Amino acid sequence: MSPSLFISDLHLHQTRSETSAAFFHFLSNDAAQAGALYILGDLFEYWVGDDQLDHDRFSRKVCDAIRILSDRGVNVFFMHGNRDFLIGDRFATEANLTILTDPAQIRQGDRSFLLLHGDTLCTDDRAYQQFRRQTRAPAWQAGILAKPYDERVALAASIRERSDTEKATKAADIMDVSPATVEAVFRQYGYVDMIHGHTHRPATHVHMVDGHPCTRQVLADWHKQAEFIRIDELGQRKAST
Ligand code: LP5
Ligand code: MN
């Protein structure tokens, strides 16, 4: 079984140069030796449509770097996050990656895992869930994508600002997963272990659900170094490089 690596919440942007450097280094080192790379959302700080590839040289560079990895034979998978849910088929084709639905169940050797970005588990954050429903609606997205690129970038910046203002007044536990929702998801998917990001609270939790011990691994967000979970025949471990 070749190793699989799991990452999320890089929030790549040209102004986050240390994180970008860590990502490019990661792609040509740890990731290049893996069989598969799973990017579980929020690869980018924001994504306003696949024409971002034409307007933003940094985004183009990230796409091309992923393609170099996938062309070397590493299977790259991407799941949308709450920052980059507008990544579409063009990006997938040009980066040579596969977009996964959220959640997605995968097998690694003799084990199964349920992969999620993690935002769907934060059901106590009603304002966010309302925002999510609105922005995931195909009609809303079609209307947004019809707007000029610069207008979309300005809109993304204003949503980011409003999000930061609202987060400052939200209780911390509202922005974490809802324990009841986590239990319900474990139950729905047959008590399969979970891997997700989004909350920026890296940890390994074991939930007892209906007598089943269910593991929930939370990925770390990136700053100066690569943060990933690696699963291979020896088991799994968290790593920072
Ligand atoms: O991202 P993070 O971790 O800081 O906070 C999230 C939730 N916030 C968001 C918003 C994103 O940060 C911004 C996404 C911008 C990129 C999208 C671009 C494409 C669309 C538009 C441009 C073309 O996801 C935050 C959670 C937090 O995680 C923890 O889980 O609390 O949720 C919020 O803050 C949501 C607010 O409570 C409500 C948002 C109000 C914005 C309303 C604007 C409506 C715009 C409609 C435009 C037509
Ligand atoms: Mn997120």
Side-chain angles (χ1 to χ4, degrees):
M1 170 185 152
S2 54
S4 291
L5 306 186
F6 301 81
I7 62 174
S8 71
D9 303 285
L10 290 78
H11 295 191
L12 294 177
H13 189 263
Q14 59 191 2
T15 57
R16 289 172 43 90
S17 52
E18 289 178 322
T19 310
S20 309
F23 182 59
F24 294 126
H25 184 264
F26 167 77
L27 287 183
S28 45
N29 290 274
D30 291 286
Q33 286 150 34
L37 171 65
Y38 291 86
I39 306 169
L40 301 186
D42 290 358
L43 173 64
F44 290 100
E45 177 72 358
Y46 60 79
W47 194 261
V48 300
D50 285 350
D51 57 343
Q52 190 165 317
L53 289 168
D54 304 320
H55 294 271
D56 177 43
R57 284 175 62 186
F58 175 75
S59 302
R60 176 85 258 166
K61 190 175 161 189
V62 171
C63 177
D64 291 348
I66 295 173
R67 185 169 190 116
I68 288 169
L69 180 75
S70 47
D71 283 352
R72 282 169 77 157
V74 178
N75 290 315
V76 182
F77 300 92
F78 172 81
M79 181 179 283
H80 292 121
N82 56 298
R83 303 290 192 94
D84 47 19
F85 56 84
L86 285 177
I87 282 186
D89 291 343
R90 178 180 163 198
F91 182 89
T93 301
E94 295 190 18
N96 191 22
L97 57 72
T98 302
I99 296 183
L100 296 175
T101 55
D102 184 350
Q105 197 166 330
I106 60 158
R107 262 193 100 71
Q108 295 290 299
D110 56 358
R111 294 187 62 191
S112 291
F113 292 89
L114 189 70
L115 310 179
L116 312 90
H117 175 56
D119 55 333
T120 54
L121 301 172
C122 302
T123 50
D124 295 333
D125 192 344
R126 298 285 190 82
Y128 170 68
Q129 294 300 334
Q130 167 59 33
F131 170 75
R132 189 179 193 280
R133 274 191 294 278
Q134 181 186 357
T135 54
R136 299 302 176 97
W140 185 89
Q141 295 192 358
I144 285 294
L145 291 172
K147 293 182 188 295
Y149 175 78
D150 290 343
E151 205 177 306
R152 278 177 276 143
V153 172
L155 188 55
S158 77
I159 298 174
R160 286 284 314 117
E161 209 172 295
R162 172 129 171 236
S163 173
D164 283 345
T165 310
E166 293 202 15
K167 279 197 308 183
T169 66
K170 287 180 188 174
D173 61 336
I174 279 186
M175 292 188 283
D176 199 355
V177 300
S178 150
T181 302
V182 168
E183 278 198 17
V185 173
F186 275 129
R187 203 167 277 128
Q188 184 181 352
Y189 288 92
Y191 313 102
V192 162
D193 289 340
M194 261 185 220
I195 302 177
H196 71 82
H198 180 67
T199 60
H200 301 192
R201 297 173 206 224
T204 300
H205 302 272
V206 180
H207 301 260
M208 282 306 292
V209 186
D210 307 334
H212 300 268
C214 303
T215 302
R216 177 171 65 91
Q217 298 205 66
V218 187
L219 292 158
D221 50 321
W222 287 40
H223 294 279
K224 293 183 180 177
Q225 56 188 21
E227 306 282 355
F228 58 94
I229 290 175
R230 177 190 161 100
I231 299 181
D232 60 22
E233 66 281 354
L234 300 174
Q236 58 192 73
R237 64 186 169 85
K238 288 192 168 154
S240 305
T241 54

